[in-house]
Amino acid sequence: MLNRYPKLAIQSKNELAKHIRHKSFSFEQALGLINNVRIHFDEYWKDSKKSLEAEKKYIRSALGTPLGILLGKINVMVLAPHDKLLPNFIFGGISGLDHVQAAASLIGQKRKRTLLKADIKRFFEQVKHDRVVSLFRNKCRCSLKGAKLLADLCCIPLGPKGSGSDDKSIARGFATSSRLAVWCNLEIFLKLDRLIKKRLKGHDPRLMIFVDDIGITASRVTDEKMEELYTEICELLKSGNLPLNEKKKKIISHEKGMEILGSRLEKRKLSIGGKTRAKKDDIKNKLRKFLSPEERKQEKQRYRSVMIYKKRVESITN
């Protein structure tokens, strides 16, 4: 099989410092940053107010701290250069790819398509510290010391900060997390791609994975066939410790309007989804009413932003 993992070969903190140094950031500065973060790690991150405690989804922030700076450099200089190794159905956290392109990848060449939407439950929290160590050690050819160093920098205890949990995972909100989530689950995603191509052979199947969102389209298939496929997908992903959120499963035929990631799938193009349409209509209604000059200026700016986004969505075809 094609080697889809980066050959990092980081053996120590000195090796990591060499990876993140550049013309205006010396080796000594890089090493000093790493040492600083290792000593003061817990001081440099916090729980965001946007965290969803009921769903046990805690968003972590290291913005503006030495940890945030270090994670940014690891993400851009260590991980991002290897995005080209990933298969073309992977989106989200990948250089040059966004949710609009992800949605467009599901547009097929054949008509009468059906969309299957699935959501991975607590995606980031499923990627535990030992899996990150294994990724760097066994796939990326780092030493055990180097692998543990990288995992320690990218993972934090589960639960709210201060929980005291010994169980660690990649942090929802850290710069490195989207890429690490993909790399740590790449083998199961490749198995998913093979399963879909096998079960939907002859129906122009398309797979898209955008962080924790999974989209699958195919032409001239019944809802029953997609239900059977979903059951198999559940079993496959569960075997890789990636349970799906049953509440977010949807099977939508072309007649009912297929929407995913905020875009509507048309025959050979995209259009804006329902939320964006509603936002556009709401702004237009406000502009018909009496507004102060400042309020009118703000609403016009909002409308221009929506129209720029609409133009971008509708310009992408597949």
Side-chain angles (χ1 to χ4, degrees):
M1 185 181 76
L2 175 66
N3 183 10
R4 293 191 179 275
Y5 294 92
K7 299 174 184 178
L8 301 179
I10 293 173
Q11 311 301 318
S12 64
K13 63 181 181 181
N14 284 16
E15 287 286 336
L16 177 57
K18 290 177 183 177
H19 275 73
I20 64 172
R21 69 180 178 182
H22 49 83
K23 189 175 181 180
S24 58
F25 190 68
S26 69
F27 170 81
E28 289 74 21
Q29 288 175 304
L31 188 58
L33 177 63
I34 295 168
N35 286 330
N36 179 10
V37 170
R38 293 181 74 191
I39 294 170
H40 301 285
F41 183 83
D42 284 338
E43 301 170 31
Y44 292 152
W45 67 272
K46 62 182 179 180
D47 289 340
S48 168
K49 293 180 180 179
K50 296 180 181 179
S51 297
L52 303 173
E53 292 192 36
E55 299 178 26
K56 296 183 179 180
K57 291 181 179 180
Y58 295 93
I59 301 172
R60 324 294 188 165
S61 174
L63 188 65
T65 71
L67 173 60
I69 293 169
L70 178 56
L71 290 171
K73 290 182 181 297
I74 292 172
N75 187 47
V76 171
M77 303 181 75
V78 177
L79 301 177
H82 305 282
D83 285 351
K84 60 184 179 295
L85 296 175
L86 293 170
N88 62 7
F89 58 82
I90 299 288
F91 297 82
I94 307 302
S95 300
L97 300 176
D98 63 13
H99 66 287
V100 178
Q101 291 159 302
S105 72
L106 293 173
I107 300 172
Q109 299 302 312
K110 298 180 181 179
R111 297 184 178 183
K112 295 186 178 180
R113 296 186 74 74
T114 298
L115 168 67
L116 167 60
K117 295 169 62 174
D119 178 86
I120 300 173
K121 193 174 182 179
R122 299 181 67 226
F123 184 39
F124 296 105
E125 291 79 7
Q126 306 297 344
V127 184
K128 301 299 193 295
H129 181 274
D130 59 348
R131 291 182 65 191
V132 181
V133 172
S134 178
L135 167 71
F136 286 123
R137 178 78 178 97
N138 301 320
K139 303 294 186 182
C140 301
R141 304 183 186 182
C142 297
S143 68
L144 181 58
K145 183 179 180 180
K148 285 185 175 179
L149 168 65
L150 287 162
D152 287 347
L153 293 172
C154 299
C155 296
I156 45 87
L158 289 174
K161 185 170 184 178
S163 66
S165 174
D166 292 327
D167 203 4
K168 295 182 178 181
S169 73
I170 58 174
R172 183 181 294 270
F174 277 10
T176 50
S177 293
S178 290
R179 284 189 170 88
L180 288 179
V182 169
W183 290 114
C184 286
N185 291 291
L186 185 56
E187 288 187 8
I188 201 76
F189 288 157
L190 290 169
K191 288 180 181 179
L192 174 61
D193 182 51
R194 290 194 291 271
L195 171 65
I196 290 166
K197 287 177 178 175
K198 182 178 180 180
R199 294 291 182 262
L200 299 176
K201 185 177 180 180
H203 296 278
D204 189 27
R206 304 292 174 97
L207 166 66
M208 176 281 299
I209 299 175
F210 185 86
V211 192
D212 53 1
D213 288 296
I214 297 175
I216 300 159
T217 58
S219 292
R220 301 181 186 279
V221 293
T222 62
D223 288 358
E224 290 74 22
K225 190 174 185 67
M226 283 301 212
E227 286 281 2
E228 292 172 4
L229 176 62
Y230 180 79
T231 299
E232 286 194 80
I233 291 171
C234 282
E235 293 174 357
L236 173 64
L237 295 186
K238 190 174 181 180
S239 72
N241 297 312
L242 290 178
L244 294 179
N245 188 336
E246 290 286 340
K247 294 180 181 179
K248 293 189 177 182
K249 179 200 76 173
K250 289 185 179 180
I251 295 174
I252 311 167
S253 63
H254 64 285
E255 298 98 337
K256 297 178 181 179
M258 303 180 296
E259 285 193 19
I260 191 167
L261 299 175
S263 293
R264 186 183 180 100
L265 306 181
E266 308 289 358
K267 290 182 180 179
R268 296 188 181 276
K269 64 178 183 178
L270 292 180
S271 64
I272 55 173
K275 287 185 178 180
T276 305
R277 291 176 191 274
K279 183 178 180 181
K280 179 170 70 72
D281 292 341
D282 179 61
I283 297 171
K284 287 175 71 175
N285 288 332
K286 285 182 178 179
L287 288 171
R288 293 190 184 104
K289 300 176 181 178
F290 176 79
L291 298 172
S292 68
E294 183 59 30
E295 289 174 330
R296 185 166 295 278
K297 180 181 177 181
Q298 290 177 355
E299 292 303 323
K300 284 185 175 181
Q301 288 176 341
R302 288 180 64 211
Y303 188 75
R304 279 195 292 270
S305 296
V306 170
M307 295 308 291
I308 289 171
Y309 177 71
K310 179 176 181 290
K311 185 177 179 179
R312 164 159 166 66
V313 169
E314 294 177 350
S315 70
I316 292 183
T317 58
N318 190 39

